[in-house]
Amino acid sequence: GESVGLHLPTLSVQEGDNSIINCAYSNSASDYFIWYKQESGKGPQFIIDIRSNMDKRQGQRVTVLLNKTVKHLSLQIAATQPGDSAVYFCAEMPNSGYALNFGKGTSLLVTP
Amino acid sequence: EAGVVQSPRYKIIEKKQPVAFWCNPISGHNTLYWYLQNLGQGPELLIRYENEEAVDDSQLPKDRFSAERLKGVDSTLKIQPAELGDSAVYLCASSLQGTSREQFFGPGTRLTVL
């Protein structure tokens, strides 16, 4: 029978191109927004975070943009490499602290 | 430095059977988390420990799930009895403290309930 489950949004990019992965959030009170990367068969891995009072933060090959007006978060990956192929999750940490609320993931596929 | 260790990596059981998962966090990490991850979804918190104290277990189905973190290091998550809907990946994570945005995840235990 048909498999019931979520079909992850998939972004396919060519090696060397830039990638942009988007995320919408709902909790305006969240203090931090975080991106995690999950490769097949592994647990999620922290990439970068941004505090709610910022609108941009850069890391190594990655940039996170936060638009609080439309409650939108994006992860930009420069010069995408095959090793970037994974599922990417955005997460928010509410002001109350401790709990990470993960959103739905986006599958990034890097083709040679 | 060793990461978060989980065992077993895979477990297949029949419904109504008990099952247990084990986690060894990164040395020195006071906070330990158990998450459930369904296919295509993000992890969902089941329970969070600060040292040996369960400080957030509001999402843990207590009728069949239990967890412990004796001595504030290793942790065990148990399901008894397992149901078909419990099939998922069970992830353990740890962090230096509860306010850390960076949590270190283990590889997970993939549970299949038949």
Side-chain angles (χ1 to χ4, degrees):
Chain A
E2 183 178 86
S3 173
V4 177
L6 286 182
H7 295 282
L8 280 175
T10 299
L11 175 65
S12 183
V13 300
Q14 282 202 312
E15 183 178 357
D17 287 351
N18 296 334
S19 304
I20 300 177
I21 301 170
N22 298 303
C23 175
Y25 65 90
S26 57
N27 188 353
S28 300
S30 291
D31 199 27
Y32 281 95
F33 299 89
I34 309 109
W35 283 100
Y36 276 79
K37 170 187 180 184
Q38 187 172 24
E39 297 175 87
S40 180
K42 297 183 179 180
Q45 179 183 13
F46 175 93
I47 303 173
I48 190 169
D49 65 0
I50 187 168
R51 194 164 187 180
S52 59
N53 61 356
M54 301 171 64
D55 53 23
K56 180 179 180 179
R57 188 172 184 213
Q58 288 185 295
Q60 187 177 10
R61 282 203 307 119
V62 295
T63 301
V64 57
L65 298 177
L66 177 63
N67 186 330
K68 294 182 284 295
T69 302
V70 295
K71 297 183 182 178
H72 184 268
L73 186 71
S74 68
L75 178 70
Q76 300 179 359
I77 304 174
T80 313
Q81 303 168 0
D84 295 326
S85 293
V87 176
Y88 290 80
F89 292 97
C90 62
E92 53 184 330
M93 176 173 275
N95 284 343
S96 58
Y98 318 125
L100 282 179
N101 296 321
F102 285 85
K104 296 180 181 179
T106 296
S107 177
L108 176 65
L109 178 63
V110 183
T111 57
Chain B
E1 178 182 303
V4 175
V5 179
Q6 290 188 248
S7 70
R9 291 295 313 276
Y10 304 91
K11 188 73 176 179
I12 301 174
I13 61 171
E14 294 190 342
K15 63 181 180 182
K16 301 184 181 179
Q17 294 300 305
V19 64
F21 315 123
W22 175 80
C23 173
N24 181 244
I26 292 174
S27 178
H29 281 193
N30 295 325
T31 309
L32 183 146
Y33 314 78
W34 282 103
Y35 288 88
L36 176 152
Q37 186 173 28
N38 287 304
L39 185 65
Q41 303 259 20
E44 300 171 38
L45 182 71
L46 289 172
I47 189 168
R48 175 173 64 91
Y49 282 92
E50 293 289 346
N51 298 302
E52 66 276 4
E53 183 182 359
V55 295
D56 183 358
D57 63 355
S58 57
Q59 301 304 312
L60 189 72
K62 299 181 184 62
D63 56 336
R64 296 184 300 107
F65 287 65
S66 64
E68 60 182 14
R69 192 186 184 197
L70 300 176
K71 302 180 182 179
V73 181
D74 295 2
S75 178
T76 302
L77 177 69
K78 298 178 181 178
I79 309 175
Q80 182 170 12
E83 297 180 351
L84 294 176
D86 296 331
S87 295
V89 175
Y90 291 83
L91 294 163
C92 179
S94 69
S95 63
L96 281 172
Q97 54 189 22
T99 54
S100 299
R101 280 96 59 200
E102 183 171 7
Q103 297 179 14
F104 296 83
F105 284 81
T109 297
R110 181 176 294 278
L111 174 67
T112 301
V113 183
L114 303 176

